[in-house]
Every structure is written in C-alpha cells, then in structure tokens.
Amino acid sequence: MSRAAQALAEEIGAVNDILCAVALLQWDNRTMMPAGGAQTRGNQIATLKGIARERILSDATRRATDDLLAETEGRADTDLDRRAALTVQAAIDHHRRLDAALLRRQAELGPVAGAAWATARETSDFAVFLPFLDESVALARESAAAIGHDGHPYSAMVALYEPGETAASIRRFFAKLRAGILPILDEARGRERDDVVHRRFPAEAQRALCRDLAELTGYDFGRGRLDTAVHPFEISFTRNDVRITTRYREEFLPGALFGALHEAGHGLYEQNIADAFTRTVFATDLILLYAVGGTSFGAHESQSRLWENHVGRSLAFWQKNMGRLRAHVPGRLDDVSPERFTCAVNHVEPGFIRVEADELTYDLHIMLRTEIEAALLDGSLAPRDVPSAWNEAVRRDLGLEVPDDRWGCLQDVHWSSGYFGSFPTYTVGNAMAAQLMEALKARDAGLDASLAEGDYDRLRAHLTDAVCRHGRSRTRDELLRDATGEALSAEPYLRYLRAKFSGATA
Amino acid sequence: MSRAAQALAEEIGAVNDILCAVALLQWDNRTMMPAGGAQTRGNQIATLKGIARERILSDATRRATDDLLAETEGRADTDLDRRAALTVQAAIDHHRRLDAALLRRQAELGPVAGAAWATARETSDFAVFLPFLDESVALARESAAAIGHDGHPYSAMVALYEPGETAASIRRFFAKLRAGILPILDEARGRERDDVVHRRFPAEAQRALCRDLAELTGYDFGRGRLDTAVHPFEISFTRNDVRITTRYREEFLPGALFGALHEAGHGLYEQNIADAFTRTVFATDLILLYAVGGTSFGAHESQSRLWENHVGRSLAFWQKNMGRLRAHVPGRLDDVSPERFTCAVNHVEPGFIRVEADELTYDLHIMLRTEIEAALLDGSLAPRDVPSAWNEAVRRDLGLEVPDDRWGCLQDVHWSSGYFGSFPTYTVGNAMAAQLMEALKARDAGLDASLAEGDYDRLRAHLTDAVCRHGRSRTRDELLRDATGEALSAEPYLRYLRAKFSGATA
C-alpha cells in the first residue's frame, strides 16, 4: 500500500469508527434507550456526525485524496485505490456544498421528530407530528438546493440513496412497472382469503421461530442479534456486528416471520462483505454518513426481498420447513399443508400497511409515497395536506378508505428521520432481486433443487459472490451487468410476478 | 454567560457527547454485543477517546480556558466559572503529559483484554489472561511515569480515581481501618450461618425483585434500565439515561438483590446531578475521559454502599419490606421473619468473592488488592506471581485456601480494563457512607423513623442535597466538610461496624 493510500485508509478508518458509534447510538435509540435519553441523544448523534464530516473535510483527508488521485491517474476504472480516492473526493465535494449547520439541525431533529412520530402514530394524531414534518421537509428542500440537481429537487434526494437515479428515471421505471403490475393485480385480487395466518401465535414462540429462520438463511448470530423494534430495521457496526430487529403481532404471523427473513437478508449483505473492506471507504457511506457496506439502498433491499419473497414465500421453502414452523407453534398449524400455508402467505389483497403488503400491491404503496415526497420536495404539496393526499392515493390505487392516519401516512418512520427519497429504493430492490434470481437460476441449473432440499448455503454463496463481498467497491449496475448481463430492468420482475400470480398461486 | 464561558461550554459539551458515545460502546460491549463485535469495538472506543482528548488539547479549548481564567482571576474558589476553567486546565496539563499513542494502546487493549479475562475466569485459566495483564501493567507503569508522582508510581494511579489521595495516604487510612476491623471480625466470625438465602430463587423472580427494589429507592426507570452483566456496573450517558446491571445466581439471593441496590445507589447519584450540569465539565471526567458526574470514585461508592448496606441490610428495611420480598418468591421465604432474614444477610464469614463479602471482610478484600496492585506498579511483584501473592494474602487475612483462580485473582474485571488504583476507592466509599449517614441522622432526628416507614424519598433528598446535585463542582472532602464537619475519617465507619457487629447482629 502506498503512503497516500495508507494515509487515506487511516482517516477513513477513523471516520468509520465514528459512524459505527453513531449507528450504535441510533440502534440503542430504537431498541433499548429509556425515554429520558431522547433529551441528549440528539446532541450526541449531531456532534459525532459533525466530527465525521469535519474529518472528511480535513486537510489530512484532502491531501491524502489528492495524492492518491495523482498517483493513480490513468489507472483502470476498476483499480480499488483510484476508486477509493474518487469516492472520497465526491464526498468532500458533497459536504463542501452542504452547510455544517444544516447537518447539525438534521441530526438534532432526528430523535425528537422520531419521538413525536411514535406518539403521533400511537394516538393516530397527525397534528402532533406536523410541526416536525414541516421542519423535516424544509431541511430536505434546503439540502436539495445546496446539493444541486437536474431541475427537480427530488433528484438530489433520490441520488443520495440510489446513485445514478433521478426523479425522472424513477418516474419512467415506475410507469413501466405500474403498467405491468395492474393487469396481474386485477387477475389475482378477490381470490378467497385463508385466515390460517391470523390464528393466535404467542410472541415468545414467534421470537424463537424468527431466530431459527434467520439462522437457517446463514445469518450469523455470533456477529449479530435479533431485537424488537416498533419499525423493524437492520444496522451494522462493521461486518463483525450486524443487528436485526422485528416486531410481533400475535394475531398476524407473517409480520414477524417475513420481517425477520427480510432483515436477515439485509444482515447477510453486511455480514458477507469482504473482510478486507472493514473500516474502509468500501464499507462506509461518506455522503450519508453511515457505516454501511451495501452499495445502494436498492441493492440492499434486493437482498432482503430476495430472502423474504423468493426464498421465504416459495412453496419449496414450506415443503421443506413446515415441520420446523409447526414445532414452534404446537397445535396451531398441524392441519395446514405447506401448499395451503404458501397460498395463505401469498394472498393478494390491497391493505393499508406497506410492510405487510403482498408482492403485487407492495410497489403501489411505494409509488404513492414517492409521488407524495416528490411533491413535498418541489413544493406542490404542503406537509399539512399529506393525510388527504395519502388517503386519496390509497383510494385511487388500492380502492380503500384509510380509517385513520395510523393506518395511513403515519405508518412509516422514514420522514421522521429525514429520509426523503429513500422509498423508491424498495421497488428498485424488488426488481433487482428478481433480476438476480432469474440470472442465478439460469446459470446454476442445480440451484432450485438445492433450495428444495433446504440447502441455503449455495444461494448465499452465489449472492455473496455476485453482490455482498463487493461492498461499495462496485455500483449497483456494475454488479447487475456482471451477474445478469444488463443494468437494472423491470422485465425479470414482471416475469416473476406474472409467473407467480397469474395462474395458480405459488 | 461570558463569551469565554460560552466558548468553553461548547467545547466541553462536544467532549461530553463523544464520551457519552464511548460509554454506550462500553455498555453495549458488556451487555448486548455479539462476540464478533469485539474485533472492531476496540478501534471505535480508541478513536473516540482520541478525538475527545484532541478536543481537550485543541486551540479552541485552550484559548477559551485561558480567557476564562483571566476573566475570573481573583474570584472566589467557589466561583463555578473559575472552577470550570481550572478543571479544564488541569485536564489539558494531564493529557499533554500523556502520549496519545499510550491512550490508544490502552483503549484498544480494553475489549480484547476483557474478552481474555472473561474466558480465563470461566475456565479458571490464569495463563490465558497473563499476557494481557502483562501488557496492562506495563501500560499503567508507563502512564504513572508520564503523569508524574510523589515517588511511588501507585500515587499517580490512585489520584486518577480519588483526587487528593496518594499511595501513602491510602496506606495510613487502611492501617487505621484494619486495626479497628480485625477485633470486630474476631468477635463476629464463627456465629452460626443461616442458609435461608441459599434456597433456590428463580432468576426471573430475582429480576422482578431487583427492579422493584431499585424503583423503591427512587431510581427512575424513565431515565434508566436494568440489564444483566457478568460483572455488574452502572454507567451513564447524561443524567437522562443512567443504566444499571446485576447478575443472577439462583442459589444465592443476596448477590442480585444487594447488587441491584448497590448499582441503584450509583444510578441515583448520576440521575440526581443538577440538570444545569448536563454536558458540562461538572458532569464529565476530562482526565479519565468518562461521561460521569460523580466527583470521585469513592464518593460514588459512598452512595452505592449507603443504599446497599445502611438501607438494604438494615432490620428496619426488612421489617417494612419482607412482604414485598415474599411476594416475589412465593413459598420460599414464608417461614422467615424479617429479623432472621436481616441476620442472614449480615452473616459474617470470610469468603472468596469480594462482591458477595459481608461488611466486615469486604475491606480486607480491598486491602489485599490494593497491596497487590501497588506492588505491580512499583515492580516489586511480577504479573505472573499475582496468583500466588493473592492466595497468600487470602490465607493471611481471611484464613482461606483459594481453590482456583476463578475464586481468586480472576474474579474482578478491573485489571482487564486497565483500572489500577481504583480498588481503594471502594473502602473510601464505605467510610464516606458511614460518615454521611451518621451526620444525616444527627442532623435530622426524623430520618430513622421515615426509613422505618418505608419512606426513602427523605433520605434521597438529603443525599441529593449533600452530594448528588453538586456533580463534580465540589471535591469529595468539600462535600464531606459541609455535610459532616470534617474531611474523610475512619471513625464513623468503625463506630458503625462496631455497633452493627459487636453485639447482637443488625
């Protein structure tokens, strides 16, 4: 390693350490922290993020970056040293454009807005959250203006989470998907619902089941843990400590079960990043100031949705694992065959809650959020009008009347955390998961058989090779081109949805 | 607030934020972190402590300190601005003397040495821990030399935890106590032991009991939590979030029960520091780089031992709370009167484990550790000879043969964390607790009656007023002089021990 590369590695290693501490402050905030802690937690996160930013903008980092850029001038685009230097340079440019005070206001707002959102959600009282949403939107608009964009401020936000995408590219991609999904939904909706998943499943049994299934995917509890959170998430402090959460509703088994498989999928991404990338720029998001190793939010979501849906909601999975499930909830599912259970967990029915939506309506939930947040960003929608805009979109797309905001615009944590622009990445992830799975099955004729045998190591090895191990050293579309021959495409996803939902289910 | 005071407050506020994050990394390390996390946790703590130190040594902090010193020149010693400036100046002097590399080595050693200690303790294999003890001792000796001392390197270490004390002052204080304790012990030992506390008490019931008793003292769970740890501790991230831990042995009730009261006592100290001191120099140890509000380790221990022993091991406490205890462990103590239970939990019998020792032998445990660590520091004892020195001292002082190192020199976490010099503060705390309690009872004739009625608010108000609210704005002996009329003294403690153990027990 050259002296410049070494110097840069030291600076970025320290930035990663700081951001891992931020991640722990955030994890704790959402799982363990007593209520009183909210008062000072915002200061702590704001101070550490500010220090991380200062370190990125420091003379030492800039000098090492410039030296490494000069040293690697003319080298191939795939040269890791050059890529590291270019990534840091982009982060320096980004943070120079964003005022430190803005960052501090955002970081300080997070915990108080989060607490207000939690109260508002619990009591279904949008008014409690509105002042914080006002402030969050104002901050996002200021940020977009400072970062710069192609004419639509939402583009600046989207690119934070999904580099390479814009407001327009997302709109086009969503239009194509929507046109493909609506006819399948027309065909699939209205089939009879099977209430087996609504029997009563004790939370303790669900917890043990979730742990068991996460382990089955290969999620390593020696480098992780599973906790309870109001809004489930995955978070990592290097690949050596990657934590997941889920939540338990005793009258709805799929929530926790597929939530755990989903978060385990995220966890597998982080746990399987190359060890050599620990504490490097390829395991640190220097723009968003996160200690994350996934290359984009969409790429991350591709892994969670792949394990949740392509594995967890397949007939093959339950043909193999129905006994395991039954053992966790004795007497409750003894009369239910794998076929019936698979059918029940793939039942298509428009509902209010995104994280419990079936695969056909899920993206419609995303599209309405994207529409609303794009309008908030360009100012065509005022925060106070979010409930009516939301309820109108739910009526139009899902044909449902939202009973109250708890079941509507207060269900997601994102806006309280200042995450405007991240919703589209969920649908990007769905599409990427299908694209990867189609290509892996085409390449490895034995993959389906191994999954039917309950061997998940083979799939995990493929995904580690194609996606996880690269960390942030390759872009989403570079990964996709290598693995599937093309950049992100809607077609494999629509083929998958058609195959699964236009004929017999599962 | 003057501009200089404001500037200093901002710098110290940021240092406090950083050190609160360090505290969370440490809490998590000892309660929640999966095993894999140890690999990178050391980097994270080391980086953040390094940043805190840099901030203390920064031009901005030095300039604000110098300005505030000039501004407050000639003001009274009790002026808070002047005291803040003097405290920061002392910290700047300290850290200038200590090499940053030394600090980093210490911080990085912590988690790996802690993991080695845990393994060594579990398997009673001192050899596993020895290389880390070697390194810890070497680092402590280097630190003492850099800090400077009065001729005995142990003085430099002791003063870190108990400002104002030296190797010699501790030796004198211990000699006086030892001379007083040994005759009382001779009289009290050999009384018949009552095995009621060794019945089987389910861990879950103990957990609920501990929570209940902590709440009874006034420990606020809205600003705290109780978890399980191998070696119980209390830790705070500002007064708004103060966490305690205990551990459960089903065949020994007092361990968890008095452990919880002990840690709740520590917690009460931190929760009751004046709100105005949050994020200030009076709630931050700038020398040891801890976000702690107690003015010395001994003062801290005075609060934990007071709640544990003067309240929790008193007959009045069990006369009031025996029903509460019985309700938590149905059927297990129904035949045991408050008198018998109090007698059982005050049984004097030399044993191997410090944290489970009775009040008469506890200080002998401390004295032998102090003797050993002073000898490690001045080089008269080699780390590899610690087990034999330990076992010899236990034979001499307690008349017992240590069966293996798990029951001997591997029982405490301190040396694996680099805490050399902190053991004497436990005995300082015992003495200070007795001194405070004697004075409070002399001053408030109704205090005993209120405790007998189960009203702990009155005692807590006294302690808050005399000790807690002041944070680090007053020294231990300033607090003691105001509350009791004299600096730390051995006499009240010996009077207390004599009254309790030389006639009828309790």
Side-chain angles (χ1 to χ4, degrees), chain A residues 387-411:
Chain A
S388 57
W390 184 289
N391 298 349
E392 174 55 35
V394 170
R395 197 176 298 128
R396 179 195 69 203
D397 290 353
L398 301 166
L400 298 171
E401 286 303 320
V402 175
D404 61 33
D405 293 334
R406 185 194 164 103
W407 294 88
C409 65
L410 287 175
Q411 69 185 269

Side-chain angles (χ1 to χ4, degrees), chain A residues 290-312:
Chain A
Y290 275 102
V292 70
T295 196
S296 78
F297 276 51
H300 232 299
E301 194 70 7
S302 78
Q303 302 305 293
S304 57
R305 295 294 272 176
L306 192 153
W307 285 100
E308 177 191 355
N309 291 332
H310 293 259
V311 178

Side-chain angles (χ1 to χ4, degrees), chain A residues 489-503:
Chain A
S489 157
E491 292 314 322
Y493 185 35
L494 289 173
R495 279 196 289 273
Y496 160 75
L497 291 175
R498 251 176 240 124
K500 184 162 181 177
F501 293 101
S502 305

Side-chain angles (χ1 to χ4, degrees), chain A residues 250-272:
Chain A
E250 300 211 323
E251 74 291 0
F252 186 61
L253 182 62
L257 192 167
F258 293 106
L261 280 172
H262 181 97
E263 302 305 336
H266 281 303
L268 287 168
Y269 195 165
E270 296 292 320
Q271 287 190 334
N272 290 303

Side-chain angles (χ1 to χ4, degrees), chain A residues 13-18 20-21 24-28 31-41 43-44 47-48 51 54-55 104 221-225 227 237-238 240-243 275 278-279, chain B residues 13-18 20-21 24-28 31-41 43-44 47-48 51 54-55 104 221-225 227 237-238 240-243 275 278-279:
Chain A
V15 171
N16 180 273
D17 290 335
I18 299 163
C20 285
L24 185 63
L25 289 164
Q26 289 169 328
W27 172 81
D28 183 73
T31 55
M32 301 288 164
M33 190 179 76
Q39 280 189 55
T40 33
R41 186 55 50 95
N43 293 112
Q44 293 153 8
T47 294
L48 289 197
I51 290 170
E54 277 165 30
R55 195 95 181 209
R104 171 163 277 271
F221 276 94
R223 296 184 290 140
R225 40 181 295 138
D227 295 286
F237 330 98
T238 80
N240 303 309
D241 188 352
V242 178
R243 306 186 187 178
D275 195 25
T278 301
R279 298 180 74 241
Chain B
V15 171
N16 180 273
D17 290 335
I18 299 164
C20 285
L24 185 63
L25 289 164
Q26 289 169 328
W27 172 81
D28 182 74
T31 54
M32 300 288 165
M33 190 179 75
Q39 280 189 55
T40 33
R41 186 53 53 94
N43 294 112
Q44 293 152 9
T47 294
L48 289 197
I51 290 170
E54 278 166 30
R55 195 98 180 206
R104 171 163 277 271
F221 277 94
R223 296 183 289 139
R225 39 180 301 138
D227 295 285
F237 330 97
T238 80
N240 303 309
D241 187 353
V242 178
R243 305 185 188 181
D275 195 25
T278 302
R279 298 181 73 241

